[in-house]
Amino acid sequence: MSNPISPAAGGPAGGWDPLQLPAAGSPERWTWLQGLRRADGVDLEPWLQAVEAGRLVPAADLLAVLGERLDGPAAARLLAWWLAEPVADPRLLEVIGRHRHPPCRDLLREALDAPAVASERSVVLLPLLGHQRDPADFPLLLERALAPLPLAQRRAALEGLAVGLGAWPPEPLRQGLVTLVGDLDPALAATAVDLLARLPGGLEDLAALDHDRLAPELARRLRRRLAGRGSAAPDGRS
């Protein structure tokens, strides 16, 4: 491979061979990775093939370097690898999931539709599905935010709605968020208030709510959102 750096610089003398990456904990690893980050024209294909063949596990520090070079197709290949692993580091998705790409979207849909998908995996995948911003995924995200599922899943589904907020059909989104304002989980209800405040017509929805039936802290949050947009709460307080 190209772009070797000199041994004096702490990098590989023979080029950027994925199998020459120093092991985690090695004092040479950081210098090696910094050299890889600075190198020009590094070919990603050998790295992707090494991951897919099981010869290399892409730890978070490696992906932090390679992530700058990923495009949509490469991200989809890494996502497919991650989903196929029985145990995979969820931190890797912070890099892999940055890309909006149809194959990534399809992989996420397939994974979330699988009947045996683990709850912990759903929690990390639902926000990524929202990041894809495809209106076809709105019903799934809203359904899971409203369903009697473990709270972590419901909050992850609402996060998915939040990251793709402008992509969803406005009226069903507003209706769903109004429902969530009345949820028994304070975190879900508070997030719903914040999201409604960002939507066209959302302030009117917030103003129309029966504030007296809300928990005191949530009612105060709602009044702050109304006051912050130049509106007064129904009782005249801010």
Side-chain angles (χ1 to χ4, degrees), residues 30-197:
W30 185 88
T31 302
W32 205 100
L33 287 172
Q34 293 309 303
L36 177 63
R37 184 191 297 275
R38 292 189 296 269
D40 295 325
V42 174
D43 184 5
L44 272 184
E45 186 61 26
W47 294 88
L48 295 171
Q49 290 181 5
V51 170
E52 292 168 334
R55 297 191 300 270
L56 176 69
V57 176
D61 59 351
L62 173 60
L63 266 196
V65 171
L66 294 182
E68 300 170 1
R69 307 174 188 272
L70 290 182
D71 57 11
R77 289 171 66 179
L78 288 175
L79 179 59
W81 165 82
W82 191 96
L83 291 168
E85 288 292 300
V87 179
D89 187 347
R91 294 177 301 168
L92 303 182
L93 295 179
E94 296 174 7
V95 176
I96 298 170
R98 291 175 186 169
H99 294 272
R100 293 182 188 135
H101 188 56
C104 290
R105 179 199 61 211
D106 294 341
L107 286 166
L108 291 167
R109 287 176 177 171
E110 182 180 349
L112 286 165
D113 283 341
V117 62
S119 175
E120 310 83 64
R121 287 213 158 185
S122 293
V123 168
V124 295
L125 297 179
L126 286 164
L128 295 184
L129 185 65
H131 177 68
Q132 295 296 316
R133 299 175 62 85
D134 190 318
D137 296 316
F138 171 74
L140 181 149
L141 292 169
L142 182 61
E143 177 187 356
R144 297 207 182 181
L146 294 170
L149 296 170
L151 280 176
Q153 283 194 55
R154 298 183 65 209
R155 291 172 181 173
L158 187 55
E159 182 182 346
L161 291 173
V163 297
L165 195 63
W168 316 129
E171 288 305 313
L173 175 61
R174 286 169 55 190
Q175 293 169 15
L177 292 175
V178 166
T179 300
L180 284 168
V181 170
D183 199 88
L184 293 177
D185 178 59
L188 282 169
T191 301
V193 166
D194 293 344
L195 295 179
L196 268 172

